[in-house]
Amino acid sequence: MDTDKGHSYEVVKKLTKDHIGKGHILFLDNFYNSVELAEYLMNNKTNMSGTLRSTRAGNPEVVVQTKLRKWECISSQKGNVTVMKWRDKRNVLTISTSNGSEMELVTNKRGEQTMKPSMVVRYNKGMSGIDRSDQMVSYYSTHRKSLR
């Protein structure tokens, strides 16, 4: 066990041990992602995509520190790992081994067209079921009985 890599790194490694090397794409939330994890997965023939915390060790400083205006983006690539920061309403820091920094045209519910990074579009599509499930669960609180 590599304790120096962190708990979330080890959790992802353990949960994916039966799926590594089979050409899957993992969609990970920012709690689990890091540049080091992306490199590990890429070396084991598994792609990944997800959001990234700006405080993670190994993040490219130029991407994290740059101040962006609305619709601007900046990215950095190391091998097949791309880290991108994009600003819509707020900054979104993403990481991917399956998408580069290319932009694509998307249409929202009101029919308005905008340019979004393909990394963000694919992540939103891959995580939509999980995010919707989390949203539904949040509406119904569970009542816990406690004994004194």
Side-chain angles (χ1 to χ4, degrees):
M1 185 166 172
D2 297 324
T3 56
D4 61 318
K5 297 190 189 294
H7 179 69
S8 60
Y9 179 93
E10 293 301 325
V11 167
V12 172
K13 205 170 154 182
K14 183 176 180 179
L15 289 174
T16 60
K17 69 180 181 210
D18 296 335
H19 305 285
I20 292 289
K22 296 182 179 177
H24 296 294
I25 298 176
L26 298 177
F27 293 96
L28 302 168
D29 198 0
N30 65 30
F31 180 80
Y32 300 98
N33 269 333
S34 68
V35 173
E36 194 171 42
L37 177 63
E39 289 171 346
Y40 163 77
L41 291 170
M42 195 65 219
N43 290 337
N44 288 286
K45 298 181 179 121
T46 303
N47 287 314
M48 57 81 62
S49 184
T51 54
L52 184 63
R53 291 187 178 178
S54 60
T55 56
R56 290 276 185 207
N59 287 352
E61 287 294 320
V62 68
V63 173
V64 174
Q65 300 298 327
T66 303
K67 303 277 190 229
L68 300 174
R69 286 183 262 131
K70 193 169 184 173
W71 309 118
E72 287 185 332
C73 71
I74 185 170
S75 66
S76 177
Q77 190 160 348
K78 179 182 174 187
N80 289 331
V81 179
T82 304
V83 176
M84 175 188 280
K85 184 178 187 181
W86 175 67
R87 185 170 180 94
D88 182 16
K89 293 177 184 167
R90 63 183 66 92
N91 288 327
V92 178
L93 190 63
T94 56
I95 185 169
S96 179
T97 59
S98 58
N99 295 95
S101 57
E102 61 275 351
M103 303 290 275
E104 62 182 71
L105 190 65
V106 294
T107 307
N108 67 12
K109 294 176 186 176
R110 293 184 294 269
E112 301 164 349
Q113 292 186 330
T114 57
M115 296 297 283
K116 268 189 181 177
S118 62
M119 198 182 297
V120 173
V121 173
R122 300 248 163 69
Y123 172 76
N124 288 341
K125 189 175 182 180
M127 289 293 283
S128 67
I130 298 299
D131 289 340
R132 187 152 305 141
S133 171
D134 290 345
Q135 180 184 6
M136 294 300 173
V137 167
S138 74
Y139 295 145
Y140 304 101
S141 62
T142 57
H143 298 289
R144 294 184 189 172
K145 292 184 180 181
S146 61
L147 296 173
R148 283 192 149 179

